[in-house]
Amino acid sequence: MADLHDLPATALLALYRHGDVSPVEATRAVLDHIARWEPHLRATYALDPDSALQQAQASEARWRRGEPRGLLDGVPAMVKENIATRGTPTPLGTAATVLAPAMADAPPAARLREAGAVLLGKTTMPDYGMLSSGLSSFHPLTRNPWDLTKNPGGSSAGAGAGAAAGYGPLHLGTDIGGSVRLPASWCGIFTLKPSLGRIPIQPPYAGRVAGPMTRTVADAALMMRVLSQPDWRDATSLPAQDIDWDALEIDPRGLRLGLQLDAGWGMALDGQVRAVIEDAARRFESAGAIVEPMPAFMTREMADGMDRFWRMRSWLDISALPAERRERVLPYIRDWVASGAELSAAQVFHGHGQMAAMRDAAVAATQPFDFVLSPVAPCVAFAAEWASPLNDPQQPFEHIAFTLPWNMSEQPAASVNAGWNDAGLPIGLQIVGRRHDDLGVLRMSRLWERLRGEPRAWPRPPA
């Protein structure tokens, strides 16, 4: 049997059910593994081994009585730090935050706790979640377990790194422009950015979702059974639906798949990334799907408009801080927002409109297809110390051209490992579905796991 810290949640639950392993044993194994990795990776925040073991002991007692609390009882899990958990401060990745304990669990954390998951602690993120990076003014620098000189991506940085490194099977991140898919791609794990409203979240915002980050599609589907339960606190959440999240089989024969290799703007697509995605498309084709090129549908105007809108929003937030707190914000972020002071109301209003234009263009572009295949990112993981692949605050979003539109269009999109570059860095395949077809995206991702074959062995901590 594999080491306990490497087992997926589905396997752990089967072992609990038969009494072969206890939640305490699994939790101790994960905590010990984290202790070996964490001096190098720095992916955790508010890690609480004592609380985790208390939760595991309570779970063990429930399993002995044959009365597990829920679908995840006793499974180790971690939550991105911007998802509130009762009693823990939520710094939002920045030293500018005044720390105060959260009064209640946010909806996704509440669902995990209700289902009996053992919450080990939280995972790191950059300032305000505005970077695809493990760089933060509050947290230590988070690194990529495949290569410690590289970045895990972000903003769900610690979740991506931790899932790849074996910090328990279940991780929860958030995404507003690629923040679960980019670290999933660069850390070689699986994630689903669900349809907007599928997983209730607090606070809601245009394009903002929570999503499972795991090593397997089956574990993500298990999490979706729990996380998609309704919560009145998110006024944008979808009505509850009876979705069979366990039904992960799909027949690819005759499915029409769009292959997008040109995002219409942003960084040029790396040649090795292109080759891996094209190989994935050929494998789907060999399985009976019909693969057709999908032309670019986004424009530079859309991207720049969104940039101006987000810049103004962040400038208003940061400029309202007292001067001493404002100076604690990561300099890269301060440089990015500074030009917000110069933007006119007309520019910001136009920028907001471009988010709607992006949505309409994305929905229209996907109508001829059942699913869309694309890279997650145009490049592989970059230097650990950098804030973004270009490390230029005046070009902060050039790497999110393939991920951003699906947040604005509210469509589900997954990242699943598709291969590796010559340096051994992971490359993610993005699978996009029509609005609300989250199960379809999971099914296509599970099919890809089979077409891809066995993944590489997961990274191990330095000796």
Side-chain angles (χ1 to χ4, degrees), residues 37-76:
W37 255 123
E38 192 59 3
H40 311 281
L41 214 58
R42 310 305 294 269
T44 68
Y45 163 66
L47 183 69
D48 193 340
D50 291 340
S51 173
L53 287 170
Q54 289 172 7
Q55 295 171 64
Q57 288 163 358
S59 172
E60 181 178 75
R62 291 192 294 269
W63 279 105
R64 284 178 175 168
R65 296 194 305 269
E67 299 173 352
R69 175 188 292 171
L71 291 171
L72 305 179
D73 205 346
V75 179

Side-chain angles (χ1 to χ4, degrees), residues 18 26 67 69 110 173 237 283 291 295 311 348 355 387 402 446:
H18 292 98
E67 299 173 352
R69 175 188 292 171
S237 60
R283 296 197 198 191
V291 179
R311 215 176 275 235
V348 175
M355 294 164 65
F402 287 104
R446 179 68 186 107

Side-chain angles (χ1 to χ4, degrees), residues 94-132:
T94 179
T97 301
V98 175
L99 299 180
M103 299 301 294
D105 289 334
R111 299 295 87 77
L112 292 180
R113 202 186 297 273
E114 291 162 3
V118 174
L119 299 184
L120 308 177
K122 308 190 79 173
T123 50
T124 59
M125 61 179 283
D127 291 53
Y128 301 113
M130 290 306 299
L131 299 178
S132 300

Side-chain angles (χ1 to χ4, degrees), residues 248-262:
L248 294 178
E249 300 301 316
I250 190 169
D251 185 350
R253 290 174 294 182
L255 289 178
R256 296 188 65 192
L257 309 182
L259 176 59
Q260 185 190 24
L261 295 172
D262 178 5

Side-chain angles (χ1 to χ4, degrees), residues 38 41-45 78-82 93 122-126 133-134 136 139-143 152-161:
E38 192 59 3
L41 214 58
R42 310 305 294 269
T44 68
Y45 163 66
M78 299 196 77
V79 177
K80 186 177 178 182
E81 64 103 314
N82 66 340
K122 308 190 79 173
T123 50
T124 59
M125 61 179 283
S133 174
S136 163
H139 302 292
L141 177 64
T142 304
R143 297 177 180 271
S155 63
S156 303

Side-chain angles (χ1 to χ4, degrees), residues 319-386:
S319 64
L321 296 173
E324 65 175 35
R325 287 175 56 197
R326 190 162 58 242
E327 289 302 309
R328 297 176 194 166
V329 177
L330 198 71
Y332 182 101
I333 298 291
R334 295 204 311 268
D335 290 347
W336 171 62
V337 304
S339 62
E342 313 299 326
L343 293 173
S344 68
Q347 288 176 306
V348 175
F349 184 80
H350 177 76
H352 184 269
Q354 290 307 301
M355 294 164 65
M358 214 182 301
R359 176 196 63 213
D360 294 344
V363 171
T366 53
Q367 286 313 294
F369 307 108
D370 297 297
F371 300 94
V372 171
L373 310 176
S374 81
V376 175
C379 59
V380 294
F382 51 97
E385 297 80 9
W386 284 17

